[in-house]
Amino acid sequence: MSYADLHLHSHFSDGTFTPAEIVARARQQGLGALALTDHDTVEGCADTAAECARAGIDFVVGTELTAEHQGNELHILAYFVDPENEPLRREMTKFQAVRQERIREMVTRINALGVPLNAEDVFALANCKSPGRPHVARTLVRNGQCRTLDEAFDRFLKKGRPAWVPKSKMSALDAMALIHQANGLAVMAHPGLNRSDDAIPDLVAAGLDGIECFHTKHPPATAQHYLAIAAKHNLLVTGGSDCHGMSKGKPLIGTVRLAREHFDKLKAKAAEHKS
Ligand code: AMP
Ligand code: FE
Ligand code: FE
Ligand code: ZN
């Protein structure tokens, strides 16, 4: 029996691992398939695909889009998208610029609290086009201004804290349409984290393909809850660890395992879409 981890971040967004490190760890974990799902970018996918080919692991191109529906934030995972698709690339570039501008705004607010921090230092540490709050937190820790990432989030960066800046997001329905025109499948990420159950019927009506039932932050009862919803709406079932490398203390890759039968169904639907 082989397993898949379909939710992984690399240093092309806010993870710390290179594609080679991800694939080496996937091998150690005995994974048969993986998807790279960096925030608002597919830049790491070519390298990860090449590493997976060498390791005999099935690779899925992916990305995680930040979206909203009726005022609530939710994340949409895109799987099997064409990485060269122009509208998708354009939207991702736009959201990368939004992320960079948001970092500048967060840094300005942190400075206003009397903490010296330079946006260029955050960008240098991030060294990617899709920076996020974890990079601000890591810079604060590296500078000795916070002891831990949690402290940086609790003091400054969490929603409602003084340096929190709202992120401009695309509508979930637009995100799904964007994914579909790029020949991909749209999957609702970690619904248990966003308390977004009310959005599910609308997303299903707009062609949602699947739901991430298995996730690091879904206890077994939560996974069961979403498996029942998937069955009710005839949605594909996905799962992944949401590993961000070492940034959350320990590498999570392989700790959430999707059974092969679910992965095969996802793959079959993607193939059906393309043909
Ligand atoms: P952003 O995309 O800039 O809004 O940042 C969201 C990222 O911050 C996600 O990957 C979260 O997992 C991460 N995050 C949220 N809270 C914390 C925390 N307390 N410690 C570390 N990372 C966090
Ligand atoms: Fe992240
Ligand atoms: Fe997410
Ligand atoms: Zn994620």
Side-chain angles (χ1 to χ4, degrees):
M1 188 61 197
S2 104
Y3 293 92
D5 186 338
L6 300 182
H7 194 152
L8 300 166
H9 296 267
S10 76
H11 71 83
F12 285 93
S13 67
D14 56 3
T16 65
F17 288 154
T18 62
E21 286 169 327
I22 287 176
V23 176
R25 285 182 186 262
R27 255 181 104 153
Q28 284 166 12
Q29 294 284 328
L31 293 175
L34 65 83
L36 189 67
T37 54
D38 276 314
H39 302 284
D40 300 325
T41 183
V42 292
E43 264 184 296
C45 286
D47 286 357
T48 311
E51 295 288 342
C52 279
R54 272 197 283 280
I57 292 173
D58 253 336
F59 176 69
V60 180
V61 173
T63 180
E64 182 175 18
L65 303 175
T66 308
E68 68 186 328
H69 188 67
Q70 292 174 343
N72 296 314
E73 176 166 331
L74 53 93
H75 296 179
I76 304 284
L77 292 160
Y79 290 123
F80 296 101
V81 283
D82 169 11
E84 303 301 331
N85 179 264
E86 264 313 316
L88 178 65
R89 292 182 79 93
R90 232 180 358 251
E91 275 310 294
M92 289 190 299
T93 303
K94 193 170 108 193
F95 282 98
Q96 289 163 14
V98 165
R99 284 175 166 280
Q100 292 163 21
E101 196 42 52
R102 183 173 177 239
I103 301 267
R104 292 188 189 284
E105 179 64 29
M106 289 189 281
V107 167
T108 302
R109 293 192 191 191
I110 288 169
N111 292 158
L113 295 163
V115 178
L117 183 71
N118 191 329
E120 297 314 318
D121 290 345
V122 177
F123 294 135
L125 177 138
N127 191 28
C128 73
K129 293 178 188 157
S130 216
R133 284 180 289 164
H135 296 116
V136 179
R138 279 160 60 192
T139 309
L140 287 165
V141 171
R142 191 204 55 194
N143 290 354
Q145 293 159 315
C146 289
R147 264 166 315 178
T148 62
L149 297 177
D150 277 342
E151 184 191 323
F153 272 88
D154 289 342
R155 270 173 68 195
F156 302 116
L157 299 168
K158 271 210 298 219
K159 185 169 183 180
R161 301 305 296 153
W164 179 74
V165 176
K167 185 153 66 179
S168 112
K169 311 169 201 61
M170 70 180 104
S171 94
L173 303 189
D174 289 349
M176 286 171 42
L178 184 68
I179 292 164
H180 287 144
Q181 67 78 41
N183 277 325
L185 300 178
V187 171
M188 195 175 187
H190 46 61
L193 255 70
N194 298 100
R195 295 188 199 84
S196 41
D197 286 21
D198 290 351
I200 293 172
D202 286 354
L203 300 198
V204 169
L208 183 71
D209 298 288
I211 188 159
E212 188 175 54
C213 296
F214 304 106
H215 182 273
T216 301
K217 293 197 174 153
H218 283 181
T222 304
Q224 286 304 323
H225 171 74
Y226 290 108
L227 285 167
I229 289 178
K232 176 178 162 195
H233 294 291
N234 197 23
L235 296 169
L236 294 160
V237 170
T238 76
S241 63
D242 211 351
C243 178
H244 283 70
M246 303 306 276
S247 72
K248 287 171 189 172
K250 60 175 193 263
L252 296 170
I253 181 169
T255 59
V256 173
R257 292 166 173 258
L258 182 73
R260 186 82 206 188
E261 65 167 291
H262 291 305
F263 176 70
D264 286 341
K265 283 184 192 162
L266 188 77
K267 206 169 152 178
K269 185 162 186 193
E272 190 184 299
H273 264 231
K274 285 193 211 299
S275 67

